[in-house]
Amino acid sequence: MSAGIRAARFIPPRGTPAWWSRHWLRMVAVISVLVLFAGTHYPKLSIGTPGDGPDKILHFLAFATVTVLLRISGITGGAASTLVLVGGLAILDEVTQEIPGLGRSFDPLDLVADFGGIIVALAWIAALGPDRSGPDWFRTGQDRRIASLVLLLASPVNWLHLAIATSLGAMLGGVFLGVAGRNPIVGPVTMVVVGAAAGGIAGLVACLESGRRHATDRMDREQRCLNCLEPNGCPRCETCGGGYRGPSDRHIPSRRIAMVATLWTIGSAMLLFGGYLLLMTRSSDRSWMGTAVRRYDALGLNFEMMVDATLLGLVGAFVVHRSRRRMSRIAARYGIECLRCGHDLQGLPEQPEPRCPECGEAFVADSGVPDVAARRESEEHGER
Ligand SMILES: [Zn+2]
Ligand SMILES: [Zn+2]
């Protein structure tokens, strides 16, 4: 079984690209924790003016970043142990701010922001993690995607590129929201921080995605082992016993992927908006709900924006998770029905190059025996 790199807790042999990748990730993770502690203990630091302090959002972002790095570098084990470890860090971090002379203080709302960041980070890692329920070709596609990212992160030059793209994105986003986002409610410092965070993430994701394509090409050209990323892993890797697997000729049409993702996004957005409207209309009630809403409002805009970020982050992760699960079930129907339009493909006359009679999408006919287990699984779920 050469399952996914993360899923199988595969420990790469020393000196392989997968080992270097983990090495750099661990180093960056440790540095991020040190930077975090330095930042939260810097004497008498206060960011922004009263009423325009982005410190809750900064807490949220900092702890989300540290959680992602500690978890994907394998320093912490599963999601639960990451929550305990980073949660412990957050509490320690807040308690030690009471040290006399630092001029900082213990703030329970900071802790709430820290845990918001930790939980959103863990939700996204769970949503983007390998999904083991689809057919073989689908799982191989996921393993290849993770392997190309591991290969990308094995080179320090690529880390430099990622850092530059993130900083550029942060600068552009910060300047843009700081100038264009002027408004009487949210202060300029907070706007710059929000813009920088959004721009930084956009820059990082864009750079990761383009870098991943190059890494995939390199992986295929040199037939690298999907586990340790050493070249010449075909048919079997001599370093770790894994092996190279090429791209599949099967895929889910992008139109279908976009459709599923859009439906989930619209559904969740409507739910979120509905809940928000309900709370808005109740805010002047005398009921417990109205009291709760007013008490929440009294915590300040800075805190509310952090709660909004947590909510949006969790809903986003949920949408990605549900869409991906749906994808693996659609993938399991390959050859049984058309993955593009859902037309039944069973009992069609044999053709040299079979196509869906409804939409013309090409498919590879199975040798008469569809993936029985996957098929049963998808029928149990009542999926079409
Ligand atoms: Zn290997
Ligand atoms: Zn079709």
Side-chain angles (χ1 to χ4, degrees):
M1 264 289 285
S2 56
I5 288 150
R6 305 261 182 279
R9 289 260 143 251
F10 166 75
I11 303 201
R14 205 184 160 83
T16 57
W19 184 86
W20 279 108
S21 186
R22 203 176 63 139
H23 174 78
W24 297 125
L25 263 172
R26 292 188 162 191
M27 226 168 88
V28 173
V30 170
I31 292 172
S32 76
V33 173
L34 294 178
V35 169
L36 175 80
F37 263 70
T40 51
H41 289 85
Y42 195 82
K44 300 189 177 66
L45 180 71
S46 69
I47 301 160
T49 52
D52 180 21
D55 67 305
K56 295 293 176 291
I57 294 162
L58 285 172
H59 268 268
F60 174 88
L61 290 171
F63 273 85
T65 310
V66 165
T67 306
V68 168
L69 287 170
L70 286 175
R71 173 93 165 85
I72 66 174
S73 65
I75 291 181
T76 58
S81 64
T82 309
L83 178 66
V84 171
L85 188 98
V86 189
L89 272 180
I91 294 169
L92 180 78
D93 181 63
E94 209 55 42
V95 169
T96 52
Q97 289 187 23
E98 284 288 287
I99 294 173
L102 289 183
R104 308 284 297 252
S105 61
F106 180 87
D107 182 353
L109 292 187
D110 279 354
L111 263 186
V112 176
D114 297 345
F115 274 90
I118 296 171
I119 285 164
V120 167
L122 288 177
W124 272 94
I125 292 170
L128 292 173
D131 179 358
R132 300 278 117 214
S133 63
D136 278 346
W137 62 269
F138 187 72
R139 292 205 303 263
T140 301
Q142 296 185 345
D143 290 345
R144 282 171 50 81
R145 209 162 301 138
I146 293 178
S148 60
L149 279 175
V150 172
L151 183 60
L152 174 77
L153 295 182
S155 142
V157 179
N158 289 342
W159 278 92
L160 197 69
H161 287 300
L162 290 174
I164 293 170
T166 310
S167 328
L168 271 179
M171 274 190 247
L172 285 177
V175 169
F176 176 75
L177 262 201
V179 173
R182 282 190 177 278
N183 67 76
I185 303 163
V186 185
V189 181
T190 306
M191 283 315 259
V192 169
V193 167
V194 171
I201 292 171
L204 177 66
V205 170
C207 189
L208 269 177
E209 192 50 34
S210 62
R212 196 181 62 76
R213 276 155 208 260
H214 281 285
T216 307
D217 289 345
R218 201 167 138 221
M219 198 169 77
D220 288 334
R221 207 168 45 239
E222 296 161 350
Q223 304 213 317
R224 284 172 181 266
C225 162
L226 293 196
N227 283 358
C228 70
L229 275 317
E230 280 293 317
N232 304 319
C234 202
R236 227 179 114 79
C237 167
E238 283 171 14
T239 317
C240 76
Y244 166 79
R245 273 160 296 153
S248 170
D249 47 8
R250 309 179 166 197
H251 67 280
I252 302 177
S254 49
R255 201 187 72 137
R256 189 84 184 267
I257 298 176
M259 225 166 69
V260 170
T262 310
L263 281 178
W264 272 104
T265 308
I266 293 176
S268 309
M270 277 166 68
L271 218 72
L272 201 67
F273 191 65
Y276 181 71
L277 275 186
L278 182 78
L279 286 179
M280 281 283 281
T281 51
R282 291 292 180 86
S283 65
S284 49
D285 278 11
R286 275 166 185 272
S287 66
W288 63 270
M289 234 172 142
T291 319
V293 171
R294 281 193 299 277
R295 205 168 280 167
Y296 170 69
D297 277 340
L299 293 175
L301 186 70
N302 186 10
F303 184 75
E304 282 177 40
M305 283 179 77
M306 185 281 300
V307 174
D308 290 344
T310 305
L311 268 180
L312 278 180
L314 287 179
V315 171
F318 176 75
V319 167
V320 169
H321 182 258
R322 291 324 300 167
S323 305
R324 292 193 65 212
R325 286 304 295 237
R326 183 85 179 88
M327 283 312 144
S328 74
R329 280 195 227 114
I330 289 175
R333 308 282 296 168
Y334 191 94
I336 301 169
E337 62 177 42
C338 172
L339 295 196
R340 187 179 156 96
C341 70
H343 188 76
D344 190 0
L345 298 177
Q346 284 169 297
L348 287 181
E350 292 222 1
Q351 308 162 29
E353 276 176 39
R355 284 180 177 279
C356 166
E358 195 70 23
C359 71
E361 172 86 5
F363 66 97
V364 186
D366 265 318
S367 51
V369 199
D371 198 332
V372 180
R375 195 178 159 189
R376 193 180 303 130
E377 209 251 352
S378 79
E379 271 164 12
E380 272 169 14
H381 285 80
E383 290 292 334
R384 274 187 37 82

